[in-house]
Amino acid sequence: DSVLSVVRQKRFNWKEDDSGISYPLNYDVFHRPRRQEFEGYLVENGAFYITSKKALLSSRNRISGKIKAVEMSEDSFFEIDEPGDWIIIEALMKKRDRINRKKDLHKIKLFLTDCDGCLTDGGMYYTEKGDEIKKFNTKDGFAFSMLKKHGLLVGMITGESVELNHRRAMKLGLNFYIPGCNDKVEAVHRICSENNLSFENVLFVGDDLNDLQLMKKVGFSCCPKNAISEVKAEADYVSSLDGGAGVIREIADYLLASIS
């Protein structure tokens, strides 16, 4: 009978009672889920409310009867109510402007990605012996071979320095593997200088705050669906997939389709 627009939020809500004691509303503190696996909840974003004239006159309300919700992009959640909201909205509008300008992806010669949260789901898994393990996606592995076949250089640049990442980089046959990197902009500048490239020739996939500066410099920036909001606002391309679920393959397909 009625339809309204919503945005899915993955936050843990608390409420304070009259005595000042706080308690969670939507999760169990003894079984706190990972945000990536949390179904979350739906919030009205005020974009639209749809109903019939008959229902409106009968209920004297914008929605009534059997109501369905249409889920919209997380970007549509924001409204300008406070000064800080303006900064977020401005970043989102700049992102939209970048997309509308349709960057020339033929200039991309180097495909770089962060590791955790992009090539993996960002989880940290341990065996009973305390060994750390990570989950990579086979589709992403094939994506790198596709990119190399089309003449692109490929690489991984990460703040971590663990043997797991090194072994994965070697198996993928990456041209560049930069572990323990605290300054990704400087590292990529060095790669570009040594290979007669510039930042406009670089595509970079990141997901967190330590990726933002490089994303602002490169020719084309991308991120997983579950990247933090600041990264998503900066990215030229936001994947429909979460990190570790085939993000690199999706972006590689998009890139290769754009330059074919």
Side-chain angles (χ1 to χ4, degrees):
D1 301 306
S2 303
V3 183
L4 78 161
S5 59
V6 298
V7 173
R8 187 173 300 276
Q9 291 289 293
K10 296 188 176 184
R11 296 291 185 268
F12 300 112
N13 294 339
W14 286 69
K15 184 177 181 178
E16 188 176 65
D17 63 21
D18 294 338
S19 66
I21 300 300
S22 298
Y23 58 92
L25 293 177
N26 61 344
Y27 83 105
D28 180 353
V29 293
F30 293 101
H31 300 89
R32 188 181 192 273
R34 295 173 63 242
R35 287 189 62 229
Q36 295 92 329
E37 299 163 351
F38 184 42
E39 184 178 349
Y41 55 93
L42 302 177
V43 181
E44 293 182 32
N45 66 352
F48 60 80
Y49 299 87
I50 303 173
T51 193
S52 67
K53 177 181 177 181
K54 180 180 179 180
L56 179 64
L57 292 174
S58 174
S59 68
R60 303 184 68 81
N61 197 37
R62 68 182 78 183
I63 50 176
S64 62
K66 294 180 179 178
I67 303 169
K68 288 226 172 180
V70 174
E71 190 171 339
M72 294 180 64
S73 163
E74 186 179 359
D75 292 351
S76 66
F77 172 79
F78 299 100
E79 298 179 272
I80 299 179
D81 296 316
E82 302 293 339
D85 297 332
W86 185 270
I87 298 172
I88 297 173
I89 296 293
E90 186 175 41
L92 292 171
M93 295 303 293
K94 287 179 178 179
K95 170 191 169 184
R96 183 178 297 179
D97 179 57
R98 288 196 302 272
I99 293 173
N100 289 340
R101 279 181 287 170
K102 297 187 182 299
K103 291 186 176 181
D104 183 9
L105 297 183
H106 288 86
K107 295 180 180 180
I108 300 301
K109 307 297 180 185
L110 172 59
F111 189 112
L112 293 174
T113 181
D114 181 31
C115 183
D116 290 328
C118 296
L119 284 170
T120 76
D121 61 5
M124 299 180 69
Y125 305 96
Y126 295 91
T127 67
E128 289 187 356
K129 295 181 179 180
D131 297 322
E132 182 180 352
I133 58 175
K134 295 185 180 185
K135 177 184 176 184
F136 292 91
N137 194 294
T138 302
K139 293 179 182 178
D140 290 340
F142 188 71
F144 284 114
S145 65
M146 292 167 50
L147 292 165
K148 292 174 67 177
K149 184 178 179 181
H150 281 78
L152 277 80
L153 298 171
V154 294
M156 180 197 305
I157 178 169
T158 172
E160 271 201 325
S161 183
V162 295
E163 183 59 26
L164 271 175
N165 293 345
H166 179 256
R167 289 203 299 268
R168 184 58 176 166
M170 295 303 101
K171 184 172 182 179
L172 293 173
L174 303 182
N175 301 105
F176 306 102
Y177 170 59
I178 306 177
C181 184
N182 295 318
D183 188 341
K184 295 185 178 182
V185 172
E186 174 57 31
V188 174
H189 174 70
R190 185 169 63 252
I191 291 175
C192 289
S193 298
E194 294 172 354
N195 292 273
N196 196 28
L197 300 172
S198 66
F199 279 106
E200 71 173 353
N201 301 129
V202 180
L203 180 153
F204 176 64
V205 187
D207 73 306
D208 214 330
L209 288 175
N210 60 340
D211 299 315
L212 265 177
Q213 292 306 311
L214 181 55
M215 293 180 72
K216 293 177 180 179
K217 294 278 291 184
V218 298
F220 197 70
S221 58
C222 308
C223 71
K225 178 183 176 181
N226 61 339
I228 64 169
S229 57
E230 294 92 334
V231 166
K232 291 168 72 172
E234 180 62 34
D236 296 310
Y237 181 93
V238 179
S239 172
S240 64
L241 301 172
D242 288 344
V247 170
I248 305 303
R249 175 61 183 273
E250 180 186 306
I251 295 172
D253 285 342
Y254 177 80
L255 172 63
L256 295 177
S258 300
I259 63 179
S260 297

